[in-house]
Amino acid sequence: MNATDFDVVVIGAGIAGATSAAALAADRRVALIEAEEQAGYHSTGRSAAVWIQNYGPADVRVLTGLSRAFFAAPPPGFAEVALMQRRAVLFLAPPEQTAALAAMLAEGIGLRPIDPAAAAALVPALRPDYAAAAAIEDDAFDMDVAAIHQGFLRQLRAAGGMLALRRRAGRIVREHGGWAVTTADGTVFRAPVVVNAAGAWGDEVAGLAGVAPLGLVACRRTAAIIDPAPFDVAGWPLVNDVAHTWYARPEARTRLMVSPADETPVAPQDIQPDEIDVAIGIDRMQGALAIEVRRVERAWAGLRTFTPDRSLAFGWDRAAAGFFWCVGQGGYGIQTSPAAGRLVADLVAGRDPGAAGAVVAAIDPRRFG
Ligand SMILES: Cc1cc2nc3c(=O)[nH]c(=O)nc-3n(C[C@H](O)[C@H](O)[C@H](O)COP(=O)(O)OP(=O)(O)OC[C@H]3O[C@@H](n4cnc5c(N)ncnc54)[C@H](O)[C@@H]3O)c2cc1C
Protein backbone atom coordinates (compact mmCIF):
# COMPACT_ATOMS: atom_id res chain seq x y z
CA MET A 1 0.00 0.00 0.00
CA ASN A 2 1.26 3.47 -0.83
CA ALA A 3 0.28 6.76 0.73
CA THR A 4 2.36 9.19 -1.23
CA ASP A 5 0.67 12.55 -1.26
CA PHE A 6 2.13 14.30 1.76
CA ASP A 7 4.28 17.32 2.38
CA VAL A 8 5.23 16.20 5.88
CA VAL A 9 5.21 12.89 7.73
CA VAL A 10 5.19 13.35 11.51
CA ILE A 11 6.31 10.29 13.49
CA GLY A 12 4.74 9.87 16.95
CA ALA A 13 1.24 11.01 17.96
CA GLY A 14 1.90 12.07 21.53
CA ILE A 15 1.41 15.73 22.37
CA ALA A 16 4.55 16.75 20.44
CA GLY A 17 3.46 15.09 17.22
CA ALA A 18 -0.19 16.10 17.61
CA THR A 19 0.54 19.81 18.10
CA SER A 20 3.16 19.89 15.35
CA ALA A 21 0.95 18.01 12.89
CA ALA A 22 -2.07 20.22 13.65
CA ALA A 23 -0.07 23.42 13.12
CA LEU A 24 1.63 22.10 9.96
CA ALA A 25 -1.71 20.97 8.50
CA ALA A 26 -2.89 24.57 8.22
CA ASP A 27 -0.97 24.87 4.94
CA ARG A 28 0.51 21.44 4.25
CA ARG A 29 -0.61 17.87 3.57
CA VAL A 30 0.33 16.03 6.75
CA ALA A 31 0.36 12.39 7.84
CA LEU A 32 0.80 11.72 11.56
CA ILE A 33 1.84 8.13 12.16
CA GLU A 34 1.73 6.38 15.51
CA ALA A 35 2.98 2.91 16.51
CA GLU A 36 0.34 2.26 19.17
CA GLU A 37 -3.40 1.64 18.87
CA GLN A 38 -4.04 4.77 20.83
CA ALA A 39 -2.47 8.21 20.47
CA GLY A 40 -1.06 9.33 23.81
CA TYR A 41 -0.47 5.84 25.18
CA HIS A 42 3.06 6.68 26.35
CA SER A 43 4.26 9.85 28.13
CA THR A 44 1.38 12.07 27.06
CA GLY A 45 -1.21 9.89 28.77
CA ARG A 46 0.85 9.58 31.96
CA SER A 47 1.64 13.15 32.96
CA ALA A 48 0.81 15.01 36.16
CA ALA A 49 -1.04 17.56 34.03
CA VAL A 50 0.23 20.73 35.67
CA TRP A 51 1.31 24.05 34.10
CA ILE A 52 4.02 25.73 36.17
CA GLN A 53 5.75 28.86 34.89
CA ASN A 54 8.74 28.50 37.23
CA TYR A 55 9.83 25.08 36.02
CA GLY A 56 12.49 23.88 33.64
CA PRO A 57 15.28 25.58 31.66
CA ALA A 58 14.96 29.07 30.15
CA ASP A 59 13.80 27.88 26.71
CA VAL A 60 11.03 25.82 28.31
CA ARG A 61 9.92 28.77 30.44
CA VAL A 62 9.55 30.93 27.34
CA LEU A 63 7.37 28.37 25.53
CA THR A 64 5.42 27.70 28.75
CA GLY A 65 4.62 31.40 29.03
CA LEU A 66 3.71 31.68 25.35
CA SER A 67 1.32 28.71 25.70
CA ARG A 68 -0.71 30.18 28.54
CA ALA A 69 -3.11 32.25 26.44
CA PHE A 70 -4.06 29.19 24.37
CA PHE A 71 -4.99 27.17 27.45
CA ALA A 72 -7.01 30.09 28.82
CA ALA A 73 -8.87 30.76 25.56
CA PRO A 74 -8.53 28.01 22.94
CA PRO A 75 -10.06 28.58 19.51
CA PRO A 76 -13.84 28.04 19.28
CA GLY A 77 -14.75 24.35 19.04
CA PHE A 78 -11.32 23.16 20.19
CA ALA A 79 -12.71 21.34 23.24
CA GLU A 80 -15.98 20.96 25.08
CA VAL A 81 -14.42 21.47 28.49
CA ALA A 82 -12.14 24.08 30.04
CA LEU A 83 -8.48 23.23 29.40
CA MET A 84 -7.25 24.82 32.62
CA GLN A 85 -8.29 24.76 36.27
CA ARG A 86 -6.50 27.12 38.63
CA ARG A 87 -4.18 25.44 41.13
CA ALA A 88 -1.38 27.26 42.91
CA VAL A 89 2.03 25.65 43.41
CA LEU A 90 3.60 25.75 46.86
CA PHE A 91 7.39 25.46 47.10
CA LEU A 92 8.62 24.41 50.54
CA ALA A 93 12.20 24.94 51.68
CA PRO A 94 13.56 22.83 54.53
CA PRO A 95 16.51 24.64 56.20
CA GLU A 96 19.09 23.27 53.73
CA GLN A 97 17.05 24.53 50.75
CA THR A 98 16.50 28.17 51.80
CA ALA A 99 19.38 29.48 49.64
CA ALA A 100 17.90 27.68 46.64
CA LEU A 101 14.51 29.22 47.42
CA ALA A 102 16.04 32.70 47.57
CA ALA A 103 17.66 32.14 44.17
CA MET A 104 14.37 30.87 42.78
CA LEU A 105 12.51 33.93 44.08
CA ALA A 106 15.14 36.24 42.59
CA GLU A 107 14.67 34.92 39.08
CA GLY A 108 11.10 33.60 39.21
CA ILE A 109 8.04 34.98 37.44
CA GLY A 110 4.87 35.42 39.51
CA LEU A 111 6.45 33.82 42.57
CA ARG A 112 6.02 35.33 46.00
CA PRO A 113 7.39 34.34 49.39
CA ILE A 114 4.90 33.24 52.04
CA ASP A 115 5.71 32.35 55.59
CA PRO A 116 5.42 28.73 56.71
CA ALA A 117 2.39 29.54 58.89
CA ALA A 118 0.54 30.81 55.82
CA ALA A 119 1.63 27.68 53.96
CA ALA A 120 0.17 25.56 56.77
CA ALA A 121 -3.12 27.44 56.43
CA LEU A 122 -3.25 26.34 52.79
CA VAL A 123 -2.12 22.78 53.53
CA PRO A 124 -3.24 21.88 57.05
CA ALA A 125 -1.31 18.58 56.97
CA LEU A 126 2.02 20.45 56.77
CA ARG A 127 4.31 19.41 59.62
CA PRO A 128 5.32 22.51 61.62
CA ASP A 129 9.02 21.60 61.61
CA TYR A 130 9.38 20.87 57.86
CA ALA A 131 9.65 24.21 56.07
CA ALA A 132 11.96 27.05 57.12
CA ALA A 133 10.67 29.16 54.25
CA ALA A 134 8.19 28.90 51.39
CA ALA A 135 7.03 30.50 48.16
CA ILE A 136 3.90 30.27 46.09
CA GLU A 137 3.12 30.54 42.37
CA ASP A 138 -0.54 31.61 42.40
CA ASP A 139 -1.11 31.59 38.68
CA ALA A 140 -0.39 27.92 37.90
CA PHE A 141 -3.08 25.47 36.80
CA ASP A 142 -4.09 21.87 36.18
CA MET A 143 -4.46 21.02 32.50
CA ASP A 144 -7.01 18.67 30.93
CA VAL A 145 -4.41 16.75 28.92
CA ALA A 146 -6.86 14.43 27.16
CA ALA A 147 -8.95 17.39 25.97
CA ILE A 148 -5.84 19.25 24.81
CA HIS A 149 -4.42 16.25 22.96
CA GLN A 150 -7.74 15.31 21.34
CA GLY A 151 -8.33 18.96 20.42
CA PHE A 152 -5.10 19.07 18.43
CA LEU A 153 -5.86 15.74 16.73
CA ARG A 154 -9.28 17.11 15.76
CA GLN A 155 -7.64 20.24 14.36
CA LEU A 156 -5.36 18.02 12.28
CA ARG A 157 -8.28 16.08 10.82
CA ALA A 158 -10.36 19.23 10.24
CA ALA A 159 -7.49 20.64 8.17
CA GLY A 160 -7.43 17.48 6.03
CA GLY A 161 -4.50 15.80 7.80
CA MET A 162 -4.31 12.05 8.40
CA LEU A 163 -3.80 10.27 11.73
CA ALA A 164 -2.61 6.71 11.12
CA LEU A 165 -2.59 4.56 14.26
CA ARG A 166 -0.91 1.12 14.55
CA ARG A 167 1.73 2.29 12.07
CA ARG A 168 5.17 1.85 13.57
CA ALA A 169 7.81 3.41 11.34
CA GLY A 170 10.23 0.57 10.62
CA ARG A 171 12.24 1.85 7.68
CA ILE A 172 13.02 5.42 6.71
CA VAL A 173 14.86 5.87 3.46
CA ARG A 174 15.93 8.96 1.57
CA GLU A 175 14.99 8.64 -2.09
CA HIS A 176 14.14 10.97 -4.98
CA GLY A 177 14.91 14.02 -2.84
CA GLY A 178 12.45 13.05 -0.11
CA TRP A 179 11.77 10.44 2.57
CA ALA A 180 9.95 7.13 2.30
CA VAL A 181 8.70 5.93 5.68
CA THR A 182 7.63 2.30 5.66
CA THR A 183 5.49 1.18 8.58
CA ALA A 184 5.25 -2.31 10.06
CA ASP A 185 2.16 -3.16 7.97
CA GLY A 186 3.98 -2.29 4.75
CA THR A 187 2.40 1.12 4.12
CA VAL A 188 4.82 3.63 2.61
CA PHE A 189 4.40 7.30 3.50
CA ARG A 190 6.40 9.64 1.25
CA ALA A 191 7.16 13.30 1.90
CA PRO A 192 10.05 15.74 1.49
CA VAL A 193 9.99 16.38 5.25
CA VAL A 194 9.95 14.00 8.22
CA VAL A 195 9.28 15.37 11.72
CA ASN A 196 10.67 13.12 14.43
CA ALA A 197 8.30 13.50 17.40
CA ALA A 198 8.86 10.00 18.76
CA GLY A 199 9.54 11.03 22.36
CA ALA A 200 11.73 8.50 24.12
CA TRP A 201 12.22 6.74 20.78
CA GLY A 202 13.58 9.85 19.07
CA ASP A 203 17.12 8.55 18.67
CA GLU A 204 15.82 5.15 17.60
CA VAL A 205 13.69 6.72 14.85
CA ALA A 206 16.69 8.80 13.74
CA GLY A 207 18.70 5.58 13.55
CA LEU A 208 16.11 4.08 11.18
CA ALA A 209 16.80 7.01 8.85
CA GLY A 210 20.56 6.69 9.18
CA VAL A 211 20.63 9.96 11.14
CA ALA A 212 23.07 10.35 14.06
CA PRO A 213 21.46 10.31 17.55
CA LEU A 214 21.33 13.40 19.77
CA GLY A 215 22.02 11.40 22.95
CA LEU A 216 18.48 11.46 24.32
CA VAL A 217 18.01 9.98 27.79
CA ALA A 218 14.60 8.60 28.77
CA CYS A 219 13.98 8.77 32.52
CA ARG A 220 11.31 6.98 34.51
CA ARG A 221 9.01 9.10 36.66
CA THR A 222 6.61 7.46 39.11
CA ALA A 223 3.25 8.54 40.47
CA ALA A 224 0.87 6.95 42.97
CA ILE A 225 -2.68 7.77 44.06
CA ILE A 226 -3.54 7.66 47.76
CA ASP A 227 -6.55 8.54 49.90
CA PRO A 228 -5.54 11.47 52.13
CA ALA A 229 -8.64 11.25 54.37
CA PRO A 230 -9.54 12.87 56.68
CA PHE A 231 -7.99 15.84 54.83
CA ASP A 232 -10.12 17.58 52.23
CA VAL A 233 -7.45 18.25 49.62
CA ALA A 234 -9.59 19.56 46.74
CA GLY A 235 -8.47 23.16 47.19
CA TRP A 236 -4.85 22.45 48.10
CA PRO A 237 -2.04 23.73 45.91
CA LEU A 238 0.43 21.33 44.35
CA VAL A 239 3.04 20.93 47.09
CA ASN A 240 6.71 20.23 46.48
CA ASP A 241 10.13 20.98 47.93
CA VAL A 242 12.42 23.48 46.23
CA ALA A 243 14.95 20.77 45.34
CA HIS A 244 12.07 18.88 43.70
CA THR A 245 12.69 15.57 45.50
CA TRP A 246 8.92 14.89 45.85
CA TYR A 247 5.58 16.43 45.06
CA ALA A 248 1.92 15.89 45.85
CA ARG A 249 -1.08 17.15 43.93
CA PRO A 250 -4.82 16.80 44.50
CA GLU A 251 -6.38 14.35 42.06
CA ALA A 252 -10.09 13.97 41.24
CA ARG A 253 -11.01 16.20 44.22
CA THR A 254 -10.64 13.59 46.98
CA ARG A 255 -7.33 11.90 46.25
CA LEU A 256 -3.67 12.87 46.29
CA MET A 257 -1.12 12.03 43.62
CA VAL A 258 2.33 11.54 45.15
CA SER A 259 5.64 11.32 43.27
CA PRO A 260 9.26 10.88 44.38
CA ALA A 261 10.19 13.10 41.40
CA ASP A 262 12.40 10.22 40.28
CA GLU A 263 14.54 10.43 37.17
CA THR A 264 15.92 6.95 36.56
CA PRO A 265 17.52 6.52 33.11
CA VAL A 266 15.97 3.55 31.28
CA ALA A 267 15.75 2.21 27.75
CA PRO A 268 12.65 3.44 25.83
CA GLN A 269 9.82 1.06 26.70
CA ASP A 270 6.26 0.73 28.02
CA ILE A 271 7.53 1.69 31.44
CA GLN A 272 5.97 0.38 34.64
CA PRO A 273 6.34 1.70 38.20
CA ASP A 274 8.80 0.17 40.63
CA GLU A 275 7.36 -0.40 44.13
CA ILE A 276 10.43 1.05 45.76
CA ASP A 277 9.90 4.40 44.00
CA VAL A 278 6.28 4.46 45.13
CA ALA A 279 7.46 3.85 48.71
CA ILE A 280 10.15 6.55 48.46
CA GLY A 281 7.60 9.07 47.19
CA ILE A 282 5.24 8.36 50.06
CA ASP A 283 8.06 8.46 52.61
CA ARG A 284 9.30 11.87 51.37
CA MET A 285 5.76 13.26 51.25
CA GLN A 286 5.16 12.04 54.80
CA GLY A 287 8.33 13.82 55.93
CA ALA A 288 6.50 17.04 55.09
CA LEU A 289 2.82 16.20 55.42
CA ALA A 290 1.17 14.33 58.30
CA ILE A 291 -0.91 12.07 56.07
CA GLU A 292 -1.48 8.44 56.91
CA VAL A 293 -1.29 6.16 53.89
CA ARG A 294 -3.33 2.99 54.31
CA ARG A 295 -2.96 1.78 50.76
CA VAL A 296 -1.84 2.82 47.32
CA GLU A 297 -4.90 2.85 45.08
CA ARG A 298 -3.03 3.04 41.78
CA ALA A 299 0.48 3.69 40.58
CA TRP A 300 1.98 4.38 37.18
CA ALA A 301 5.20 5.48 35.57
CA GLY A 302 6.02 7.39 32.43
CA LEU A 303 9.10 8.50 30.54
CA ARG A 304 10.48 12.03 30.60
CA THR A 305 13.07 12.32 27.85
CA PHE A 306 15.91 14.83 27.97
CA THR A 307 18.60 16.02 25.58
CA PRO A 308 22.19 16.10 26.94
CA ASP A 309 21.81 19.76 28.08
CA ARG A 310 18.13 19.33 29.08
CA SER A 311 16.88 22.01 26.69
CA LEU A 312 14.49 21.17 23.88
CA ALA A 313 15.69 20.02 20.45
CA PHE A 314 13.47 21.47 17.70
CA GLY A 315 14.99 22.08 14.28
CA TRP A 316 16.61 20.58 11.20
CA ASP A 317 19.18 17.86 11.50
CA ARG A 318 22.76 18.98 10.89
CA ALA A 319 23.35 16.49 8.07
CA ALA A 320 20.14 14.87 6.81
CA ALA A 321 18.12 17.16 4.54
CA GLY A 322 14.43 17.29 5.38
CA PHE A 323 14.82 15.58 8.76
CA PHE A 324 13.34 17.74 11.53
CA TRP A 325 13.73 17.01 15.26
CA CYS A 326 10.99 17.71 17.82
CA VAL A 327 12.24 15.96 20.94
CA GLY A 328 13.57 16.50 24.47
CA GLN A 329 10.28 17.68 26.04
CA GLY A 330 11.36 16.28 29.43
CA GLY A 331 8.76 17.07 32.10
CA TYR A 332 7.26 20.01 30.22
CA GLY A 333 5.83 18.64 26.98
CA ILE A 334 2.21 19.42 27.78
CA GLN A 335 2.61 22.88 29.26
CA THR A 336 4.72 24.03 26.29
CA SER A 337 2.63 22.28 23.63
CA PRO A 338 0.58 25.04 21.92
CA ALA A 339 3.61 27.30 21.43
CA ALA A 340 5.81 24.31 20.57
CA GLY A 341 3.49 23.18 17.77
CA ARG A 342 3.37 26.67 16.26
CA LEU A 343 7.14 26.99 16.51
CA VAL A 344 7.72 23.67 14.74
CA ALA A 345 5.38 24.70 11.90
CA ASP A 346 7.11 28.09 11.57
CA LEU A 347 10.58 26.56 11.51
CA VAL A 348 9.58 23.94 8.94
CA ALA A 349 8.05 26.67 6.77
CA GLY A 350 10.99 29.03 7.28
CA ARG A 351 8.66 31.67 8.77
CA ASP A 352 9.53 34.16 11.49
CA PRO A 353 8.33 32.50 14.73
CA GLY A 354 7.70 35.83 16.47
CA ALA A 355 8.28 35.81 20.23
CA ALA A 356 9.30 32.13 20.18
CA GLY A 357 12.26 33.21 18.05
CA ALA A 358 14.04 34.02 21.33
CA VAL A 359 14.64 30.30 21.95
CA VAL A 360 15.47 29.10 18.43
CA ALA A 361 19.26 29.10 18.90
CA ALA A 362 19.08 27.42 22.34
CA ILE A 363 16.94 24.57 21.03
CA ASP A 364 18.67 23.99 17.68
CA PRO A 365 19.59 20.27 17.53
CA ARG A 366 22.72 21.18 15.57
CA ARG A 367 24.29 22.26 18.89
CA PHE A 368 24.98 18.57 19.50
CA GLY A 369 27.57 16.49 17.71
C1 LIG B 1 4.80 11.13 35.62
C2 LIG B 1 4.95 12.25 34.64
C3 LIG B 1 4.48 13.51 34.98
C4 LIG B 1 4.57 14.56 34.06
N1 LIG B 1 4.00 15.75 34.38
C5 LIG B 1 3.96 16.75 33.46
C6 LIG B 1 3.30 17.96 33.76
O1 LIG B 1 2.74 18.12 34.84
N2 LIG B 1 3.30 18.95 32.81
C7 LIG B 1 3.90 18.78 31.59
O2 LIG B 1 3.87 19.70 30.77
N3 LIG B 1 4.54 17.63 31.29
C8 LIG B 1 4.58 16.62 32.20
N4 LIG B 1 5.21 15.45 31.90
C9 LIG B 1 5.95 15.36 30.64
C10 LIG B 1 5.07 15.10 29.44
O3 LIG B 1 4.19 14.03 29.71
C11 LIG B 1 5.98 14.79 28.25
O4 LIG B 1 6.93 15.84 28.07
C12 LIG B 1 5.18 14.67 26.95
O5 LIG B 1 4.10 13.80 27.11
C13 LIG B 1 6.09 14.16 25.84
O6 LIG B 1 5.29 14.04 24.69
P1 LIG B 1 5.85 13.33 23.39
O7 LIG B 1 4.79 13.46 22.36
O8 LIG B 1 7.21 13.84 23.11
O9 LIG B 1 6.04 11.80 23.82
P2 LIG B 1 5.01 10.56 23.83
O10 LIG B 1 3.71 10.96 24.42
O11 LIG B 1 5.71 9.42 24.47
O12 LIG B 1 4.78 10.29 22.30
C14 LIG B 1 5.76 9.72 21.47
C15 LIG B 1 5.02 8.75 20.56
O13 LIG B 1 5.90 8.27 19.55
C16 LIG B 1 5.46 6.97 19.23
N5 LIG B 1 6.51 6.27 18.51
C17 LIG B 1 7.73 5.89 18.95
N6 LIG B 1 8.42 5.26 18.01
C18 LIG B 1 7.62 5.23 16.91
C19 LIG B 1 7.77 4.70 15.61
N7 LIG B 1 8.88 4.04 15.21
N8 LIG B 1 6.72 4.84 14.72
C20 LIG B 1 5.58 5.50 15.08
N9 LIG B 1 5.39 6.00 16.33
C21 LIG B 1 6.41 5.88 17.22
C22 LIG B 1 5.18 6.35 20.59
O14 LIG B 1 4.34 5.21 20.48
C23 LIG B 1 4.53 7.52 21.31
O15 LIG B 1 3.11 7.48 21.27
C24 LIG B 1 5.16 14.36 32.79
C25 LIG B 1 5.66 13.11 32.45
C26 LIG B 1 5.54 12.05 33.35
C27 LIG B 1 6.02 10.71 32.94
Side-chain angles (χ1 to χ4, degrees):
M1 187 180 160
N2 280 329
T4 55
D5 287 334
F6 299 103
D7 298 315
V8 186
V9 176
V10 179
I11 301 177
I15 195 73
T19 50
S20 301
L24 284 159
D27 49 16
R28 284 179 162 64
R29 295 163 301 173
V30 177
L32 172 59
I33 66 173
E34 166 57 47
E36 303 290 351
E37 270 183 50
Q38 197 193 327
Y41 175 75
H42 290 289
S43 302
T44 297
R46 308 182 192 201
S47 89
V50 214
W51 182 100
I52 306 175
Q53 176 63 72
N54 295 285
Y55 190 40
D59 52 310
V60 164
R61 292 180 188 218
V62 169
L63 294 189
T64 297
L66 291 175
S67 293
R68 193 179 195 294
F70 184 96
F71 293 126
F78 184 83
E80 283 163 11
V81 294
L83 303 182
M84 64 189 272
Q85 205 79 46
R86 277 298 168 89
R87 181 171 313 283
V89 175
L90 179 62
F91 297 91
L92 299 172
E96 69 281 7
Q97 294 181 23
T98 52
L101 181 73
M104 196 177 168
L105 279 162
E107 65 173 31
I109 299 174
L111 256 189
R112 64 182 170 91
I114 63 167
D115 67 49
L122 292 172
V123 181
L126 182 60
R127 294 187 191 278
D129 54 350
Y130 181 76
I136 193 155
E137 180 180 326
D138 298 288
D139 208 24
F141 51 88
D142 292 345
M143 299 176 289
D144 187 328
V145 177
I148 295 163
H149 190 210
Q150 287 306 317
F152 282 115
L153 293 176
R154 244 191 325 271
Q155 266 191 350
L156 167 69
R157 286 192 217 95
M162 173 198 272
L163 168 63
L165 300 172
R166 293 182 297 276
R167 300 291 212 293
R168 178 178 301 280
R171 210 166 150 251
I172 307 175
V173 180
R174 181 120 187 110
E175 56 183 33
H176 313 304
W179 294 99
V181 180
T182 307
T183 55
D185 66 336
T187 311
V188 185
F189 294 82
R190 289 179 212 277
V193 172
V194 162
V195 173
N196 177 5
W201 292 267
D203 276 347
E204 193 180 294
V205 163
L208 296 173
V211 170
L214 297 185
L216 299 175
V217 179
C219 296
R220 180 176 59 215
R221 169 131 318 174
T222 308
I225 302 295
I226 59 143
D227 179 355
F231 291 102
D232 174 3
V233 300
W236 285 12
L238 180 149
V239 189
N240 68 156
D241 67 339
V242 174
H244 203 57
T245 64
W246 66 277
Y247 66 94
R249 172 180 92 75
E251 167 94 4
R253 302 198 67 76
T254 60
R255 295 294 188 266
L256 206 57
M257 177 195 142
V258 179
S259 173
D262 48 333
E263 235 173 54
T264 311
V266 291
Q269 61 188 284
D270 183 0
I271 194 74
Q272 299 302 313
D274 191 322
E275 273 178 31
I276 191 78
D277 292 322
V278 172
I280 291 170
I282 290 172
D283 186 58
R284 290 180 183 164
M285 178 277 290
Q286 287 181 317
L289 307 181
I291 292 176
E292 202 187 320
V293 178
R294 285 169 290 278
R295 87 187 165 85
V296 172
E297 297 187 347
R298 185 163 70 86
W300 73 91
L303 296 175
R304 297 159 81 250
T305 299
F306 297 94
T307 67
D309 63 9
R310 295 178 74 93
S311 282
L312 302 162
F314 296 178
W316 298 108
D317 184 71
R318 61 166 50 245
F323 191 92
F324 191 96
W325 291 88
C326 177
V327 296
Q329 286 81 353
Y332 335 99
I334 317 291
Q335 65 177 37
T336 52
S337 58
R342 284 194 302 268
L343 177 55
V344 167
D346 286 341
L347 293 177
V348 167
R351 286 189 298 259
D352 176 358
V359 303
V360 168
I363 68 177
D364 190 332
R366 290 172 288 197
R367 70 192 186 276
F368 301 116

